[in-house]
Amino acid sequence: MTDIVLVVGGRAITAGELALALLGLSLLMLAVLFVALRRQAGARALEAERAVIHAQEIEERMGEMARIQAELTGRLKAMAEGLGSRQNDLARQLGDRLDGMSTRIGQSLEGQTKTTMENLGRLNERLAVIDSAQKNLTDLAGQVVTLKDVLANKQARGAFGQGRMEAILTDGLPRTGFTFQPTLSNGKRPDAVIRLAGDSRGLVVDAKFPLEAVTMWREAHAEEVRRLAAQRLRQDLTVHIKDIAEKYLIPGETQDMALLFVPSEGIYADLNEHFDDIVQKAFRARIIIVSPSLMMLAVQVVQGLLKDERMREEARVIQKEVSHLLDDVTRLTDRVLNLQKHFGQANEDLGQILTSADKIAKRGGRIEALEFDEAPAPPPLAKLPLKGSFAAE
């Protein structure tokens, strides 16, 4: 046991010391192993306790889940019953609405059918009207061809313009407001003379517009032909304006200006657009070129002036009658004043008569008192009340 087995750090270790050391180490390892086993047993016990607790918690959770599942099952059942009831109500309401919609759709279709039949009836009537209008258009086309033939004749064109001018004057003015083709002091006969209010001079209207030159200018396609037609139109208009100014503008008998009637709005527009120099030349010559619409406007102005003149004449008549009425009122006032004077004089005379009667009554009373001392004196005669206008005064 004393034999040296090891030498560690210069110290010799015997076999006994080594055996003791190994024994101590074994005891230490056994102690460590015991402690480890003890700790492991405690950990297992703790783990088992935790497992029991966890199992209890799981059981409690399972019970809670079973309770929740039972409640959920009840709620789902109630919800299913409610959904079934609502589904039945919805089906019933949907059926009612479908029935009502079907009824309304049927009524609507019936109404639309009726409306469609009525519209078809009216459409047939309109088609009949259109057929009639088409026939009228066909007749009108023939009349237009006839009108073109009429306008191809110079005399016929003049008659057409004069007829349209006469229609405008006849429709817009009273019969005393115009005269067709009167004879002037120089022997000339214009197409019409319009009488103006408050003026003895008439307004001359000429309807003999040179349509032939305008037609040639409109129908010209080549530039040179169109230029020559425009030159002729200017010449014809210049000559016609000069003739109107020399023949129809008579001082003291006619107005200082005259009207040149153009029977077409299109021709009037062409004149103002392409022949403004001729329009200005006519204006300087105191000749006003008018279209049918401007002629109607001038007629309306003249009609208003004539109406104002009649109103002034009627106003003078009314003023005269009012003057006579004022004279009658003045005479009536004088007569009322005279009557009032007579009433005053009569009232004064009655007052004097009553005064005299009162005095007579008093004296009679005094006489009666002297002859009959015991008898009471009679009362004085009372004044009689006045009636009517006497009392009022």
Short mmCIF file of all heavy atoms in Angstrom, two decimals, residues 45-73:
data_model
loop_
_atom_site.label_atom_id
_atom_site.label_comp_id
_atom_site.label_asym_id
_atom_site.label_seq_id
_atom_site.Cartn_x
_atom_site.Cartn_y
_atom_site.Cartn_z
N ALA A 45 -41.66 13.93 -11.29
CA ALA A 45 -42.89 14.14 -10.50
C ALA A 45 -43.55 15.46 -10.88
O ALA A 45 -44.78 15.55 -11.02
CB ALA A 45 -42.53 14.12 -9.02
N LEU A 46 -42.68 16.48 -11.05
CA LEU A 46 -43.24 17.78 -11.46
C LEU A 46 -43.88 17.69 -12.84
O LEU A 46 -44.95 18.24 -13.09
CB LEU A 46 -42.12 18.84 -11.46
CG LEU A 46 -42.53 20.26 -11.81
CD1 LEU A 46 -43.57 20.79 -10.82
CD2 LEU A 46 -41.30 21.19 -11.81
N GLU A 47 -43.19 16.92 -13.70
CA GLU A 47 -43.73 16.77 -15.05
C GLU A 47 -45.04 16.00 -15.00
O GLU A 47 -46.00 16.30 -15.72
CB GLU A 47 -42.72 16.03 -15.91
CG GLU A 47 -43.13 15.89 -17.38
CD GLU A 47 -43.13 17.22 -18.07
OE1 GLU A 47 -42.39 18.16 -17.65
OE2 GLU A 47 -43.88 17.38 -19.08
N ALA A 48 -45.08 14.98 -14.11
CA ALA A 48 -46.32 14.21 -13.98
C ALA A 48 -47.43 15.08 -13.42
O ALA A 48 -48.59 15.03 -13.86
CB ALA A 48 -46.07 12.99 -13.08
N GLU A 49 -47.05 15.91 -12.41
CA GLU A 49 -48.07 16.82 -11.85
C GLU A 49 -48.56 17.80 -12.91
O GLU A 49 -49.75 18.06 -13.02
CB GLU A 49 -47.44 17.56 -10.67
CG GLU A 49 -48.45 18.44 -9.94
CD GLU A 49 -47.80 19.13 -8.76
OE1 GLU A 49 -46.59 18.90 -8.49
OE2 GLU A 49 -48.50 19.94 -8.10
N ARG A 50 -47.57 18.28 -13.70
CA ARG A 50 -47.97 19.20 -14.78
C ARG A 50 -48.85 18.48 -15.79
O ARG A 50 -49.80 19.05 -16.33
CB ARG A 50 -46.73 19.75 -15.47
CG ARG A 50 -45.96 20.74 -14.62
CD ARG A 50 -44.75 21.23 -15.39
NE ARG A 50 -43.98 22.20 -14.61
CZ ARG A 50 -42.83 22.74 -15.02
NH1 ARG A 50 -42.33 22.39 -16.22
NH2 ARG A 50 -42.20 23.59 -14.24
N ALA A 51 -48.52 17.21 -16.07
CA ALA A 51 -49.33 16.44 -17.01
C ALA A 51 -50.73 16.26 -16.49
O ALA A 51 -51.72 16.35 -17.23
CB ALA A 51 -48.66 15.09 -17.29
N VAL A 52 -50.83 16.01 -15.14
CA VAL A 52 -52.16 15.86 -14.54
C VAL A 52 -52.93 17.17 -14.65
O VAL A 52 -54.12 17.19 -15.02
CB VAL A 52 -52.02 15.40 -13.08
CG1 VAL A 52 -53.37 15.44 -12.39
CG2 VAL A 52 -51.44 13.98 -13.01
N ILE A 53 -52.20 18.25 -14.28
CA ILE A 53 -52.87 19.57 -14.38
C ILE A 53 -53.29 19.85 -15.82
O ILE A 53 -54.39 20.34 -16.10
CB ILE A 53 -51.95 20.66 -13.83
CG1 ILE A 53 -51.71 20.45 -12.33
CG2 ILE A 53 -52.54 22.04 -14.09
CD1 ILE A 53 -50.66 21.37 -11.74
N HIS A 54 -52.37 19.53 -16.76
CA HIS A 54 -52.68 19.76 -18.18
C HIS A 54 -53.85 18.90 -18.62
O HIS A 54 -54.72 19.35 -19.37
CB HIS A 54 -51.44 19.45 -19.02
CG HIS A 54 -51.61 19.76 -20.47
ND1 HIS A 54 -51.82 21.04 -20.95
CD2 HIS A 54 -51.61 18.93 -21.56
CE1 HIS A 54 -51.95 21.01 -22.25
NE2 HIS A 54 -51.81 19.70 -22.66
N ALA A 55 -53.88 17.64 -18.10
CA ALA A 55 -55.00 16.77 -18.45
C ALA A 55 -56.30 17.31 -17.89
O ALA A 55 -57.35 17.27 -18.54
CB ALA A 55 -54.73 15.35 -17.92
N GLN A 56 -56.22 17.85 -16.65
CA GLN A 56 -57.42 18.45 -16.07
C GLN A 56 -57.86 19.66 -16.90
O GLN A 56 -59.06 19.85 -17.15
CB GLN A 56 -57.15 18.86 -14.61
CG GLN A 56 -56.96 17.68 -13.67
CD GLN A 56 -56.64 18.13 -12.25
OE1 GLN A 56 -56.46 19.32 -12.00
NE2 GLN A 56 -56.53 17.16 -11.32
N GLU A 57 -56.88 20.48 -17.26
CA GLU A 57 -57.24 21.65 -18.09
C GLU A 57 -57.84 21.22 -19.40
O GLU A 57 -58.82 21.79 -19.87
CB GLU A 57 -56.00 22.50 -18.33
CG GLU A 57 -55.48 23.20 -17.08
CD GLU A 57 -54.22 23.99 -17.37
OE1 GLU A 57 -53.71 23.90 -18.53
OE2 GLU A 57 -53.75 24.73 -16.48
N ILE A 58 -57.24 20.14 -20.01
CA ILE A 58 -57.78 19.66 -21.29
C ILE A 58 -59.20 19.13 -21.09
O ILE A 58 -60.10 19.36 -21.91
CB ILE A 58 -56.87 18.56 -21.85
CG1 ILE A 58 -55.53 19.18 -22.31
CG2 ILE A 58 -57.53 17.84 -23.01
CD1 ILE A 58 -54.51 18.17 -22.77
N GLU A 59 -59.38 18.43 -19.94
CA GLU A 59 -60.72 17.91 -19.67
C GLU A 59 -61.70 19.05 -19.49
O GLU A 59 -62.82 19.00 -20.00
CB GLU A 59 -60.66 17.03 -18.42
CG GLU A 59 -61.98 16.32 -18.12
CD GLU A 59 -61.87 15.39 -16.92
OE1 GLU A 59 -60.77 15.27 -16.35
OE2 GLU A 59 -62.90 14.78 -16.56
N GLU A 60 -61.26 20.07 -18.70
CA GLU A 60 -62.14 21.23 -18.51
C GLU A 60 -62.44 21.90 -19.86
O GLU A 60 -63.57 22.30 -20.13
CB GLU A 60 -61.49 22.22 -17.55
CG GLU A 60 -61.41 21.70 -16.12
CD GLU A 60 -60.69 22.69 -15.21
OE1 GLU A 60 -60.22 23.71 -15.76
OE2 GLU A 60 -60.59 22.44 -14.00
N ARG A 61 -61.36 22.03 -20.68
CA ARG A 61 -61.57 22.66 -21.99
C ARG A 61 -62.48 21.80 -22.86
O ARG A 61 -63.31 22.34 -23.61
CB ARG A 61 -60.24 22.86 -22.69
CG ARG A 61 -59.40 23.95 -22.03
CD ARG A 61 -58.11 24.15 -22.80
NE ARG A 61 -57.29 25.19 -22.18
CZ ARG A 61 -56.08 25.55 -22.64
NH1 ARG A 61 -55.58 24.94 -23.71
NH2 ARG A 61 -55.41 26.49 -22.01
N MET A 62 -62.31 20.49 -22.77
CA MET A 62 -63.19 19.62 -23.54
C MET A 62 -64.64 19.77 -23.09
O MET A 62 -65.57 19.81 -23.90
CB MET A 62 -62.74 18.16 -23.38
CG MET A 62 -61.42 17.84 -24.08
SD MET A 62 -61.50 18.03 -25.86
CE MET A 62 -62.58 16.66 -26.25
N GLY A 63 -64.81 19.86 -21.73
CA GLY A 63 -66.17 20.09 -21.22
C GLY A 63 -66.73 21.42 -21.68
O GLY A 63 -67.90 21.52 -22.08
N GLU A 64 -65.85 22.47 -21.64
CA GLU A 64 -66.29 23.78 -22.12
C GLU A 64 -66.62 23.73 -23.60
O GLU A 64 -67.61 24.30 -24.06
CB GLU A 64 -65.19 24.81 -21.85
CG GLU A 64 -65.58 26.24 -22.22
CD GLU A 64 -66.63 26.79 -21.30
OE1 GLU A 64 -66.80 26.26 -20.18
OE2 GLU A 64 -67.31 27.76 -21.70
N MET A 65 -65.75 23.00 -24.34
CA MET A 65 -66.02 22.88 -25.77
C MET A 65 -67.30 22.11 -26.02
O MET A 65 -68.07 22.45 -26.94
CB MET A 65 -64.85 22.19 -26.46
CG MET A 65 -63.59 23.05 -26.54
SD MET A 65 -62.23 22.21 -27.34
CE MET A 65 -62.88 22.00 -28.96
N ALA A 66 -67.55 21.08 -25.19
CA ALA A 66 -68.80 20.33 -25.35
C ALA A 66 -70.00 21.23 -25.05
O ALA A 66 -71.02 21.20 -25.75
CB ALA A 66 -68.79 19.12 -24.42
N ARG A 67 -69.85 22.05 -23.98
CA ARG A 67 -70.95 22.98 -23.65
C ARG A 67 -71.15 23.99 -24.77
O ARG A 67 -72.29 24.27 -25.19
CB ARG A 67 -70.62 23.69 -22.35
CG ARG A 67 -71.75 24.60 -21.83
CD ARG A 67 -71.35 25.26 -20.53
NE ARG A 67 -70.16 26.07 -20.73
CZ ARG A 67 -70.18 27.31 -21.24
NH1 ARG A 67 -71.33 27.83 -21.64
NH2 ARG A 67 -69.07 28.00 -21.37
N ILE A 68 -70.00 24.54 -25.25
CA ILE A 68 -70.10 25.52 -26.35
C ILE A 68 -70.69 24.86 -27.59
O ILE A 68 -71.51 25.45 -28.31
CB ILE A 68 -68.71 26.11 -26.63
CG1 ILE A 68 -68.26 26.95 -25.44
CG2 ILE A 68 -68.74 26.95 -27.90
CD1 ILE A 68 -66.83 27.45 -25.57
N GLN A 69 -70.29 23.59 -27.83
CA GLN A 69 -70.83 22.89 -29.00
C GLN A 69 -72.32 22.67 -28.85
O GLN A 69 -73.08 22.79 -29.81
CB GLN A 69 -70.10 21.56 -29.16
CG GLN A 69 -70.53 20.79 -30.42
CD GLN A 69 -69.74 19.51 -30.60
OE1 GLN A 69 -68.91 19.16 -29.73
NE2 GLN A 69 -69.97 18.83 -31.72
N ALA A 70 -72.75 22.35 -27.60
CA ALA A 70 -74.18 22.17 -27.36
C ALA A 70 -74.91 23.48 -27.59
O ALA A 70 -75.97 23.53 -28.25
CB ALA A 70 -74.40 21.64 -25.94
N GLU A 71 -74.34 24.59 -27.03
CA GLU A 71 -74.97 25.89 -27.26
C GLU A 71 -74.99 26.24 -28.74
O GLU A 71 -75.99 26.75 -29.26
CB GLU A 71 -74.23 26.97 -26.47
CG GLU A 71 -74.35 26.83 -24.96
CD GLU A 71 -73.58 27.91 -24.23
OE1 GLU A 71 -72.91 28.70 -24.94
OE2 GLU A 71 -73.65 27.96 -22.98
N LEU A 72 -73.85 25.96 -29.41
CA LEU A 72 -73.78 26.26 -30.84
C LEU A 72 -74.78 25.43 -31.61
O LEU A 72 -75.42 25.90 -32.56
CB LEU A 72 -72.35 26.00 -31.34
CG LEU A 72 -72.09 26.34 -32.80
CD1 LEU A 72 -72.34 27.81 -33.06
CD2 LEU A 72 -70.64 25.99 -33.17
N THR A 73 -74.93 24.15 -31.17
CA THR A 73 -75.91 23.30 -31.83
C THR A 73 -77.32 23.85 -31.65
O THR A 73 -78.11 23.91 -32.59
CB THR A 73 -75.83 21.87 -31.27
OG1 THR A 73 -74.50 21.37 -31.44
CG2 THR A 73 -76.81 20.96 -31.97
#
